[in-house]
Amino acid sequence: MAALPKRIIKETERLISDPVPGITAYPDEANLRAFTVTMNGPDSSPYEKGIFDLELYLPDDYPMCPPKVRFLTKIYHPNIDKLGRICLDVLKDNWSPALQIRTILLSIQALLASPNPDDPLANDVADDWKKDEPKAIEVAKEWTAKYAKAKE
Amino acid sequence: MGNTAGKEARPRSNTYSSTSSTLNSYDINRRNTIFGNVNDYKKSRKQEERDRQREDHYSKLIVKYDQTVDGGYLAPFGTYKSNLDFNVDIVRELIIQRKLAPFYTPLQDFDDDWTEDELLKILSQLTLHSIEIAYDDEEIDDIDDHKIHKSSNFYKRQEQKMKLKLLMEKIKSLQKDEENKFFDIKLEGKDDNLPSKDLLLKLYKNPIECPICFLYYPNNLNLSRCCLQPICTECFVQIKRLDPHPPHDQQEQSQGNELPHTLISEPSNCPYCAMNDFGVIFEKDLDIKTGISGIKPGTYHNDLIHDPTQDNINEIKDDLKNLNIESSEVFSSSPSSSPLKASPIKSPTPASQKEESLREKRRRRSSIPANSPKVITIDQIRPDWELKLASAKSKLARKSAAASAIHASNLIINPSTDLAEYDTRRRNSNSNTRFQTIEDRMIEEALRLSIIDEEERVRRQGTPQSESSNNT
Ligand SMILES: [Zn+2]
Ligand SMILES: [Zn+2]
C-alpha cells in the first residue's frame, strides 16, 4: 500500500487524542484509510439514545475529494436511503479540502438532529415526513429502538 | 480532437470516387492511398507533438536544487500524485515574479522545543522531492485521462499507457539523479546554490501549518484573497474546476440524456470560506530575495539586513498604504454567512506578539476582488478549462446527433413505417414535432460545435484559418 499522507496520519491522531463528543472513529488495522465509526443519536431527536454504526473511507484523492460515508445501521431518515447513503451537500459538491473527518461527522450528526425532507434521498420516507411528520417521527423512534440499540 | 482529420477524410474521398466515374480504379486507389498516408502522417505528427508536450510538462515537475526562489523551488515536492495538470510554465513564471509563493519543501513535523542545531539537522536531511509517494507504481494519473477526445481504440490506449509508464520511469530516474547531485553537493558544502544556515533558519524557525495538507512551511505562503487564510502552493495548484458536468438538478434524472449546451464547469470556491472565484495573493511575509533574480542562496546572511523586524513593519505599512489606494476596488462581501467559516484554522506556532498584531491587522481587511492584478485565480493556472468545456459539449452533441441518426434510420427501416408515413406522423403529432425539433437542434448544434472544434484545433496548430474552411 502506498504511504499514508501526513494529513491522514495527523487527523487520525487528533481524532483519537481529542475525540468528538458522541462520536468514535477508529481506522481499520488492515487499511488505515477505512474507519469504523459510531455515532450517538442527538438528544431530543427521534434518534436519541440510538447508537449508529457507519463506515468512512478516504479515497486516494482525499482531501481534494470528500470521504465516502455510509450508515451501516438501518435508519429511518428522509436524507438517508436504504443502503445507508447520505444526502449531504458537504459530502458532494460543497466538499472543501479544508473540511476534515471531524467536521464531516459533526455535519452528519447535525443532519440527524434536523432532517430535511425537501432535499430527500429516500423519497418514500420524505413523503411520509411531509404528509404526517408526527407519525414519521414515531417510525424513526421505533427503528432507532429496534436497530440502533446500545450494545451490551 | 485526435480523430477529426480521419473522420473528415472518409466522406471526402467517397464523394470523390462516386462523382468522378471517369477515373479508373487505379487512380482512385492511388489517390485514396495518398489521402490515407497524408492523414496517417498528420496523425502521427500530432501524436508526436502531444508526446513531446507531455514529456516537457513532466520534466518541468522535476525539482532542481539550483532553480530556487526565496528558498523554495519551481516544482512541487510531490505530496500529491494526481491533479498535476496545471500549466507548469505559467506557475513557474508566477513564482519567479514573486506573485505566487514558491514550492517550499515541507517539514512533516515541527516542535517549538527544537534547538537551532536540531532544526538544522532535520533540514539537512530533507530531500528535494518525495519520490516514493508521488511516483509509486500504482495507476498513474495521466493528464490525457482528462482530455475529452480519448482514443476509442483499446490497443492504442494500451500503447499510450505503456508510453506514459516509460515516461514516468524516466522522470523518476531524472529526479533521482538530481537528488544524488543535491546530496553530493551538500556533502561538499561549496555550492552557493545551497541555502546558507541563516537562510534555512530564517525560513523554518517559525513555520506555519498549511490547513489543507497539515505540513509545515516557512511563514511565507499564499493567502486566500477573500479570507486571508494561508495555503501552500502545492495545495493551491490542486484546486481546480470540476470536469464539465450537467447542472445538479438534472444530474440524477437524465443520465445520458444531457443537452450539450447545458454542460457546465463552475469556478472553485474558497476552501475556507466558500466564497466563489477562489484566488490567492502572495505578500511575501519574509524579507528574502534569493535564487532566480536574487542573491545566491548560499550568500544570504542575517547581518546583510539591518533590522528584519523593522523591515517587516515597513513592508506591512507600505502594504496598507497600497491597500488604501486600491480600496475602491475592494468590495465587502460577507464570508461569514458560509457554514465553512466555522472550521477551525489556526497556526499552531505562536509567533512573536508584534507579528501577531500585524497579522491581526491584515486579517481585519476586507477581501480583494478576483480581478485584482494581485490575485492569482485557479483559472489562471489552468487556462485550458474553456477549451475542455467546449470540447465536452461538442463531444456530447456529436454523440446525441449520432444517436438521433440511428433512431431516425430505425424508424425508416421499420417495415410498418414507410418514409411518407414517418413524415406525416412527424408533422401531425405534437410530441413528435417537439422531439424532431430537439433532434434538429441537436444535429445543428453538433455541426456548429464540430466546426468550432475544428477551427480551434487548426488555430492551436497555427495553420491558416482558410484551410479549415476548405475542409467543410
Ligand atoms: Zn498545503
Ligand atoms: Zn476565503
Side-chain angles (χ1 to χ4, degrees):
Chain A
M1 205 179 76
L4 213 57
K6 196 69 191 179
R7 156 145 181 178
I8 295 181
I9 297 172
K10 286 189 185 170
E11 270 200 70
T12 308
E13 283 169 1
R14 289 171 199 179
L15 268 174
I16 293 168
S17 68
D18 178 20
V20 194
I23 296 173
T24 66
Y26 293 101
D28 296 353
E29 264 171 46
N31 182 353
L32 297 171
R33 287 176 174 271
F35 289 74
T36 304
V37 178
T38 68
M39 184 176 289
N40 295 353
D43 288 349
S44 55
S45 80
Y47 312 99
E48 189 175 2
K49 298 212 166 67
I51 297 178
F52 297 86
D53 293 325
L54 294 90
E55 61 180 16
L56 181 146
Y57 185 76
L58 303 174
D60 273 354
D61 276 349
Y62 181 81
M64 293 305 148
C65 289
K68 297 186 190 320
V69 197
R70 189 171 79 93
F71 272 85
L72 296 173
T73 306
K74 258 175 89 104
I75 181 166
Y76 191 78
H77 189 290
N79 311 102
I80 302 164
D81 74 2
K82 286 193 190 79
L83 300 173
R85 292 177 302 187
I86 306 161
C87 180
L88 187 61
D89 59 348
V90 287
L91 285 174
K92 294 173 183 164
D93 302 308
N94 283 347
W95 166 254
S96 145
L99 293 171
Q100 301 179 19
I101 301 174
R102 175 188 299 274
T103 37
I104 281 299
L105 292 178
L106 282 168
S107 306
I108 294 172
Q109 207 177 30
L111 186 69
L112 292 187
S114 47
N116 178 10
D118 294 321
D119 184 20
L121 185 65
N123 274 310
D124 45 342
V125 179
D127 286 345
D128 292 353
W129 218 275
K130 278 194 270 194
K131 254 184 264 155
D132 188 350
E133 189 172 328
K135 196 185 152 212
I137 289 173
E138 271 320 301
V139 178
K141 280 183 186 165
E142 276 167 35
W143 282 38
T144 304
K146 196 167 166 193
Y147 302 111
K149 259 195 300 223
K151 289 172 194 90
E152 298 304 313
Chain B
M1 272 160 250
N3 46 16
T4 324
K7 261 188 194 160
E8 275 190 5
R10 249 172 278 127
R12 235 193 303 157
S13 50
N14 284 346
T15 326
Y16 188 73
S17 54
S18 59
T19 48
S20 47
S21 49
T22 50
L23 283 175
N24 64 36
S25 64
Y26 168 77
D27 271 351
I28 292 165
N29 282 342
R30 204 186 50 161
R31 271 164 200 272
N32 279 344
T33 322
I34 291 168
F35 274 130
N37 281 347
V38 168
N39 282 320
D40 283 353
Y41 176 69
K42 265 195 194 162
K43 248 190 208 171
S44 71
R45 278 288 296 275
K46 226 188 288 166
Q47 187 58 51
E48 267 171 36
E49 176 57 19
R50 262 200 302 245
D51 289 351
R52 200 195 55 74
Q53 279 175 1
R54 187 160 68 177
E55 181 155 352
D56 182 60
H57 176 88
Y58 280 108
S59 63
K60 282 178 181 153
L61 290 174
I62 296 174
V63 186
K64 301 215 160 131
Y65 85 93
D66 55 354
Q67 292 186 353
T68 65
V69 166
D70 306 340
Y73 299 94
L74 300 183
F77 176 70
T79 302
Y80 301 100
K81 61 173 182 171
S82 50
N83 296 338
L84 297 175
D85 55 345
F86 58 90
N87 185 309
V88 281
D89 292 313
I90 291 174
V91 168
R92 286 162 72 99
E93 196 47 41
L94 289 171
I95 291 173
I96 290 170
Q97 292 173 359
R98 273 74 174 175
K99 285 185 171 171
L100 199 61
F103 291 103
Y104 283 112
T105 313
L107 281 174
Q108 302 288 311
D109 290 292
F110 183 78
D111 191 331
D112 280 327
D113 296 335
W114 287 342
T115 63
E116 286 192 354
D117 286 340
E118 282 170 324
L119 178 60
L120 284 171
K121 186 156 188 249
I122 288 160
L123 291 171
S124 72
Q125 289 161 350
L126 293 179
T127 55
L128 293 169
H129 190 273
S130 141
I131 292 181
E132 296 317 319
I133 290 182
Y135 300 122
D136 69 14
D137 291 331
E138 290 167 58
E139 279 292 287
I140 305 152
D141 190 59
D142 182 353
I143 53 167
D144 270 354
D145 279 351
H146 306 297
K147 294 239 170 89
I148 303 306
H149 295 275
K150 297 184 231 185
S151 160
S152 53
N153 184 322
F154 175 74
Y155 294 103
K156 207 171 161 196
R157 263 207 310 261
Q158 290 299 98
E159 190 195 313
Q160 283 301 310
K161 260 193 179 161
M162 204 50 188
K163 253 196 231 167
L164 181 65
K165 210 182 156 193
L166 289 176
L167 174 62
M168 295 320 280
E169 271 164 22
K170 186 174 162 190
I171 298 294
K172 190 174 171 176
S173 102
L174 286 172
Q175 181 70 69
K176 269 191 180 150
D177 291 347
E178 191 66 26
E179 213 72 65
N180 290 336
K181 222 192 304 174
F182 181 55
F183 184 80
D184 291 344
I185 285 165
K186 267 196 284 192
L187 278 185
E188 282 173 27
K190 281 182 195 153
D191 194 325
D192 270 348
N193 286 308
L194 295 181
S196 64
K197 275 184 189 172
D198 279 359
L199 179 56
L200 284 174
L201 287 174
K202 171 101 180 170
L203 290 168
Y204 288 96
K205 222 174 154 180
N206 289 304
I208 55 169
E209 191 186 42
C210 169
I212 292 181
C213 59
F214 289 21
L215 300 172
Y216 293 94
Y217 290 93
N219 193 351
N220 201 32
L221 295 186
N222 314 294
L223 298 173
S224 57
R225 68 169 181 92
C226 35
C227 50
L228 302 166
Q229 293 292 330
I231 182 169
C232 76
T233 301
E234 194 149 358
C235 285
F236 175 67
V237 299
Q238 282 285 313
I239 295 173
K240 58 176 190 177
R241 285 172 182 255
L242 291 178
D243 285 334
H245 59 94
H248 308 299
D249 34 6
Q250 287 183 15
Q251 208 160 18
E252 268 112 30
Q253 293 105 310
S254 63
Q255 283 286 313
N257 292 320
E258 302 93 352
L259 294 174
H261 54 271
T262 63
L263 284 187
I264 51 165
S265 166
E266 313 104 314
S268 271
N269 296 338
C270 168
Y272 306 122
C273 73
M275 181 181 286
N276 50 11
D277 287 326
F278 181 50
V280 294
I281 53 168
F282 176 48
E283 302 204 308
K284 284 198 61 158
D285 291 86
L286 294 182
D287 182 38
I288 296 171
K289 194 156 188 182
T290 65
I292 299 168
S293 53
I295 59 164
K296 287 274 184 192
T299 63
Y300 178 91
H301 292 296
N302 271 342
D303 51 82
L304 287 177
I305 294 150
H306 32 286
D307 182 4
T309 345
Q310 196 52 47
D311 271 6
N312 212 355
I313 292 169
N314 287 337
E315 202 181 312
I316 292 192
K317 272 189 190 154
D318 284 349
D319 229 59
L320 291 171
K321 244 188 268 162
N322 290 341
L323 204 85
N324 283 337
I325 298 162
E326 284 185 7
S327 62
S328 57
E329 55 177 298
V330 170
F331 58 81
S332 57
S333 39
S334 54
S336 52
S337 63
S338 151
L340 296 183
K341 188 67 183 174
S343 59
I345 291 135
K346 52 170 196 248
S347 157
T349 331
S352 80
Q353 290 217 320
K354 222 179 240 169
E355 279 177 346
E356 192 68 59
S357 71
L358 287 170
R359 204 171 297 147
E360 217 30 65
K361 233 180 239 167
R362 195 159 66 182
R363 205 145 279 175
R364 267 183 268 122
R365 278 189 210 166
S366 29
S367 68
I368 300 165
N371 59 8
S372 157
K374 283 173 80 176
V375 170
I376 307 301
T377 62
I378 59 148
D379 286 341
Q380 251 166 291
I381 61 164
R382 280 187 180 80
D384 57 344
W385 72 269
E386 273 176 305
L387 212 67
K388 279 185 179 169
L389 180 59
S391 123
K393 282 183 178 178
S394 80
K395 193 198 177 191
L396 192 56
R398 274 198 296 270
K399 221 172 79 185
S400 7
S404 305
I406 291 166
H407 179 81
S409 63
N410 278 348
L411 282 176
I412 294 164
I413 321 165
N414 190 332
S416 69
T417 349
D418 65 15
L419 201 58
E421 201 184 320
Y422 170 60
D423 226 51
T424 28
R425 215 180 48 182
R426 185 180 135 188
R427 255 180 240 124
N428 295 345
S429 144
N430 253 338
S431 63
N432 271 351
T433 315
R434 207 182 118 254
F435 175 65
Q436 194 56 37
T437 330
I438 293 173
E439 210 171 83
D440 288 346
R441 233 176 46 209
M442 275 182 164
I443 293 169
E444 253 167 48
E445 180 74 359
L447 284 172
R448 196 179 65 81
L449 288 168
S450 68
I451 291 167
I452 292 174
D453 215 2
E454 176 64 12
E455 280 173 1
E456 194 62 50
R457 188 186 65 81
V458 169
R459 194 176 57 77
R460 282 209 300 174
Q461 281 183 338
T463 342
Q465 196 74 23
S466 57
E467 213 182 292
S468 79
S469 43
N470 286 346
N471 285 352
T472 45

